Amino acid sequence: MSKRPTTGTGMLTRVRGLSGYLRDRPIWVKLGLIMMVPTIATIAVGFGALLTNIGAATDADRARTLATLAADSGALVHNLQDERAAAVMVLASPATADQKALQNAYKALFPNADLAIRNYREHRAALAGLPETFVTQLQSIDGGLSVLTSLRNAVASNNNITLNTALSTYNSLINSMLSIRSSSAQMAGDATLSYEIQAGSALARDKESLSQERVVGLQALLMKDLEIETQQSFIGTLTAQEQAVKDFYNSATDAQQALMGRTYTGPDLREVQVYEQDFHLWLPGKPPPANVASPEDWNNAFVGAGNLLRQVEQRLDEQTVADATALHNRVQSQVLVEAGLLLSLVLVAVLIAWFVARSMNRSLRELRHGALAIAQYGLPQAVARLRDPALSAQMSPQQMALQIADPLPVRSRDEFGQVTEAFNAVHLEAVRTAAEQAQLRSSVSTMFVNLARRSQILVDRLIGHLDRLERGEEDPDRLAELFQLDHLATRMRRNDENLLVLAGADSTRVQREPAALIDVLRAAQSEVEHYTRIEFGVIDRDIEIASHAVNDLVHLVAELFDNATAFSPPDSSVVVEARRLGDRSVLYVEDHGIGISPDQLADLNERLATPPEVDVAVSRMMGLVVVARLAARHGVKVELRPAQERGTIADVLLPTSVLVPRALSGRTSPGTGGLPLPQEAPQPRPETPVPGPRAPYGGPLALESG
């Protein structure tokens, strides 16, 4: 039964997974992850404070809108209070009164109220995200305003409406408007602003109580009848005024209290106080006393007192709106400043991380470019210079490494500079090792040259003895054996020359005169074991090889002949053709073997185009490497391609540097042109198997010993 991994094991697994993920990531990603934690922490803390200030700014903006809405409601309430009093005069006046004048006075109050309604609705639409209770209050006000028009029409026409109905509708709408102030004080979000709104709310209630006192008095004076309920309502309005004034002084500042004391005074207020004292003398069920004010005087006195309170209310509302606006601007400025500071802090952190990452990335990029430059150019060039035998003979490997190795510049003393120094040390050691290898290769090449030349001397002496024996021998069988020995000796000499080519040395044989290509082909044929299988096809007779390239070209073609005869059936022939192509010539050597696969053919052509270094693998395909080196020495291009039916064709493109110009060629065999050339090897007698031509031989191609 398997056990679930512990928490520590799971954490270790996640850490290993993260480490594996980061292993191949760029340096800027790793630096970004390093900077991410403190940056996120900074952003989180700053964003939390910013959110708090944004919330405060939202509350301040809402408080400003609420203060503006409270001011609009104050203006609307003031106009509705005048409408309510005018409606009482229309509906409660006796039949003898001038109803037309009362109705016109009532209608004259509509424009001011309508303007206040439009302002209220404009600011009402700007509110959002309000509590449900406040939304309910606003909806109640919207409902009251929607029936205001029908109420006005009914009152103005004094048709199908009672005074109690009109008062109830007005009172409901006005009370809903007054509730906005108390609710706004609770949602202000600022203590000072909340107290200012509460003071305005208390003053609005005081003004509404005064207006109610005005309405109650008008109703009794117009009907000339004081009922007990009316008297109680009158006393209630006085009590409400006292409570509202008390609440005002509890919430208002000293400046607001001083404003109240300066403004709410004068003849209108004293007249209202006198009328109130006289009204208290009126007993229910009795006719009004003689000194009680008339309805007109009563209304005018209360209008004056209400206007005084309205002035104070307006000043308070203006101050509240100004303070709310200042609070909003201050909090908004603070939000912008903190947001700017937070953004600047994050930007500075990002810039610091970017500069550090850029510096590290630049150091890494310079180190990478320098390492690649050394790997792709510097080290190969240093190795190429080390191939100079004179250099390796004059200095030790350490001296050569110090002279040839081009170190990277160390621009700092940090870890990148230390890595650069370590890389320079590795580079120096690599060049020193390459110098040792170059010295070793030079020693091996020198050994190859010494062994090959000693062997050449012996082979040349052997060939000389065989020539003397051949000239004095008359027995056909003995002569045939001597020819075979002579041929083997010639092949041994070619192997010695292969060693010289691999060692980078020149052949000891020197040719001082140009030679016809046909003679070069014959000389190459004489150095091949299966020379009888080589057939010459169409060969241009005017092609001549320059003297400096004759011996190397004989060697090159002999290797191609040997390869073609070795990798084709023993009963097949190898066809050789040569033609001029403009100022160049091309030689074709075609065999009929099994052919070469495309991949192997591409690999062989690559080796022919770029001669490889000498190693154990090269020794297994020495002929191919010799051909490549001889071709590279004279600018000859050798390429293998598949034959049409089967087998392989070797294309040898001879450049102008190895050819005698056409105007000077054709001196040895004029007039032959490009006719098919028959097999011109010496034909043995029928009874004697005599081999074909061999080199050196006396004829147009005289190979001289140097």
Side-chain angles (χ1 to χ4, degrees):
M1 183 176 180
S2 61
K3 296 182 179 180
R4 298 182 61 185
T6 62
T7 304
T9 304
M11 180 63 70
L12 182 60
T13 302
R14 287 192 290 270
V15 170
R16 288 177 178 174
L18 179 60
S19 177
Y21 170 78
L22 293 177
R23 185 179 299 114
D24 299 329
R25 301 281 77 81
I27 189 68
W28 61 268
V29 173
K30 298 176 182 179
L31 287 175
L33 292 176
I34 294 175
M35 294 295 296
M36 183 180 295
V37 175
T39 302
I40 290 178
T42 303
I43 292 175
V45 174
F47 195 68
L50 187 62
L51 283 179
T52 302
N53 290 329
I54 290 175
T58 303
D59 293 340
D61 182 66
R62 183 172 60 186
R64 181 183 61 175
T65 306
L66 289 173
T68 305
L69 190 68
D72 294 336
S73 67
L76 179 56
V77 166
H78 182 72
N79 288 281
L80 292 178
Q81 289 171 346
D82 289 341
E83 280 192 23
R84 181 176 57 187
V88 171
M89 296 186 71
V90 171
L91 298 177
S93 295
T96 58
D98 188 357
Q99 290 292 327
K100 189 67 174 178
L102 295 175
Q103 292 173 356
N104 290 336
Y106 175 67
K107 294 178 181 179
L109 299 174
F110 294 170
N112 292 332
D114 291 339
L115 178 61
I117 291 173
R118 286 195 299 270
N119 293 333
Y120 165 80
R121 285 176 173 171
E122 179 180 353
H123 293 100
R124 156 79 170 85
L127 288 173
L130 300 172
E132 185 176 354
T133 55
F134 194 77
V135 173
T136 304
Q137 293 176 1
L138 295 179
Q139 291 175 350
S140 175
I141 294 173
D142 294 338
L145 293 176
S146 63
V147 301
L148 183 60
T149 302
S150 59
L151 174 65
R152 285 173 171 177
N153 294 332
V155 172
S157 61
N158 197 1
N159 184 20
N160 296 328
I161 188 169
T162 62
L163 177 59
N164 291 333
T165 302
L167 290 177
S168 176
T169 304
Y170 273 111
N171 291 339
S172 176
L173 179 57
I174 291 174
N175 289 331
S176 298
M177 297 293 294
L178 292 176
S179 65
I180 292 179
R181 289 183 177 272
S182 58
S183 299
S184 299
Q186 298 175 3
M187 294 186 298
D190 182 77
T192 302
L193 197 62
S194 178
Y195 278 116
E196 290 184 4
I197 297 177
Q198 287 178 5
S201 176
L203 186 61
R205 286 188 284 107
D206 181 23
K207 182 171 172 293
E208 169 60 14
S209 299
L210 182 65
S211 179
Q212 288 284 355
E213 182 183 0
R214 171 187 175 188
V215 169
V216 171
L218 277 176
Q219 185 177 1
L221 292 173
L222 289 173
M223 294 182 177
K224 298 182 183 302
D225 182 21
L226 179 63
E227 298 179 353
I228 296 178
E229 293 81 1
T230 304
Q231 187 183 37
Q232 292 176 349
S233 298
F234 181 79
I235 296 173
T237 59
L238 295 177
T239 304
Q241 289 182 58
E242 292 177 358
Q243 183 62 42
V245 170
K246 183 178 179 181
D247 293 341
F248 171 79
Y249 280 99
N250 289 334
S251 302
T253 62
D254 294 340
Q256 292 173 338
Q257 294 177 11
L259 175 64
M260 181 71 169
R262 291 194 309 269
T263 306
Y264 191 50
T265 185
D268 291 331
L269 181 59
R270 289 193 295 270
E271 189 175 14
V272 167
Q273 293 173 351
V274 171
Y275 290 162
E276 289 177 345
Q277 293 175 359
D278 294 338
F279 196 87
H280 278 294
L281 300 177
W282 192 359
L283 298 177
K286 301 295 182 177
N291 57 347
V292 174
S294 65
E296 290 78 9
D297 294 337
W298 178 274
N299 185 62
N300 292 334
F302 277 89
V303 167
N307 289 335
L308 293 178
L309 284 179
R310 175 59 186 157
Q311 293 179 16
V312 178
E313 184 183 39
Q314 283 181 323
R315 293 288 299 276
L316 291 181
D317 289 341
E318 291 173 357
Q319 184 63 38
T320 302
V321 171
D323 292 343
T325 303
L327 175 64
H328 171 263
N329 295 336
R330 184 172 64 254
V331 175
Q332 189 176 40
S333 299
Q334 185 178 359
V335 169
L336 293 178
V337 170
E338 291 187 358
L341 289 176
L342 180 61
L343 182 61
S344 300
L345 183 61
V346 174
L347 184 60
V348 168
V350 172
L351 286 177
I352 291 175
W354 181 78
F355 278 118
V356 173
R358 182 172 176 267
S359 177
M360 297 178 65
N361 194 35
R362 181 173 62 249
S363 299
L364 287 176
R365 186 168 59 249
E366 290 178 355
L367 182 59
R368 176 178 177 273
H369 289 170
L372 289 177
I374 288 177
Q376 297 175 357
Y377 303 103
L379 192 57
Q381 291 177 0
V383 173
R385 290 182 61 188
L386 291 173
R387 292 173 183 169
D388 185 6
L391 186 64
S392 60
Q394 295 173 0
M395 293 181 290
S396 65
Q398 185 67 26
Q399 292 174 338
M400 286 190 292
L402 292 175
Q403 180 180 355
I404 294 176
D406 187 13
L408 295 177
V410 180
R411 305 183 186 277
S412 62
R413 297 182 180 180
D414 57 1
E415 286 76 4
F416 294 105
Q418 296 172 9
V419 172
T420 304
E421 292 177 351
F423 181 81
N424 288 335
V426 172
H427 179 210
L428 182 63
E429 184 64 21
V431 175
R432 189 189 66 79
T433 304
E436 291 180 351
Q437 296 296 322
Q439 281 192 341
L440 179 61
R441 286 195 301 270
S442 178
S443 300
V444 173
S445 298
T446 303
M447 182 178 63
F448 280 174
V449 171
N450 292 334
L451 292 176
R453 286 180 175 172
R454 289 185 180 185
S455 179
Q456 268 189 329
I457 294 173
L458 296 177
V459 170
D460 287 341
R461 291 175 62 185
L462 177 61
I463 290 176
H465 286 301
L466 290 175
D467 285 342
R468 286 193 296 272
L469 291 175
E470 289 172 0
R471 285 194 294 268
E473 184 62 51
E474 294 183 358
D475 185 358
D477 295 334
R478 295 282 300 265
L479 185 61
E481 292 180 359
L482 290 175
F483 279 164
Q484 290 181 1
L485 292 175
D486 193 355
H487 184 72
L488 290 175
T490 303
R491 292 181 59 200
M492 290 174 61
R493 183 177 62 188
R494 181 159 58 86
N495 288 335
D496 293 335
E497 290 181 350
N498 285 348
L499 291 177
L500 291 176
V501 172
L502 294 179
D506 295 331
S507 175
T508 57
R509 295 183 295 165
V510 178
Q511 178 71 19
R512 293 187 175 87
E513 295 292 335
L517 179 60
I518 182 62
D519 294 331
V520 172
L521 297 179
R522 288 170 178 167
Q525 181 188 21
S526 67
E527 298 188 4
V528 180
E529 179 180 3
H530 304 286
Y531 62 90
T532 57
R533 292 170 49 199
I534 298 175
E535 298 180 357
F536 296 122
V538 178
I539 297 178
D540 287 347
R541 294 299 187 92
D542 62 345
I543 302 176
E544 288 190 10
I545 307 301
S547 59
H548 68 276
V550 169
N551 292 327
D552 288 340
L553 197 58
V554 170
H555 195 173
L556 185 151
V557 175
E559 291 294 339
L560 293 178
F561 286 171
D562 192 35
N563 184 76
T565 55
F567 293 97
S568 61
D571 57 346
S572 64
S573 60
V574 176
V575 180
V576 183
E577 294 185 355
R579 299 183 182 86
R580 273 196 179 272
L581 292 177
D583 58 349
R584 297 178 297 175
S585 298
V586 63
L587 174 67
Y588 304 97
V589 180
E590 180 180 0
D591 64 61
H592 299 284
I594 61 175
I596 305 175
S597 65
D599 295 339
Q600 187 178 6
L601 195 65
D603 180 64
L604 294 177
N605 285 326
E606 177 66 23
R607 292 176 178 269
L608 288 172
T610 306
E613 295 292 334
V614 179
D615 55 12
V616 178
V618 167
S619 64
R620 299 191 186 100
M621 52 178 65
M622 185 169 56
L624 178 70
V625 179
V626 169
V627 170
R629 292 201 171 191
L630 292 174
R633 182 182 297 176
H634 297 284
V636 177
K637 182 179 180 182
V638 181
E639 184 179 2
L640 303 179
R641 58 184 174 88
Q644 292 183 354
E645 296 181 358
R646 71 171 188 170
T648 306
I649 298 176
D651 292 340
V652 182
L653 182 63
L654 304 177
T656 56
S657 60
V658 301
L659 297 176
V660 175
R662 184 187 295 269
L664 302 177
S665 63
R667 296 171 297 179
T668 57
S669 53
T672 57
L675 299 176
L677 180 67
Q679 179 73 21
E680 296 190 12
Q683 300 297 325
R685 293 185 294 272
E687 66 279 5
T688 305
V690 181
R694 59 179 176 82
Y697 62 93
L701 182 59
L703 302 176
E704 304 173 4
S705 298

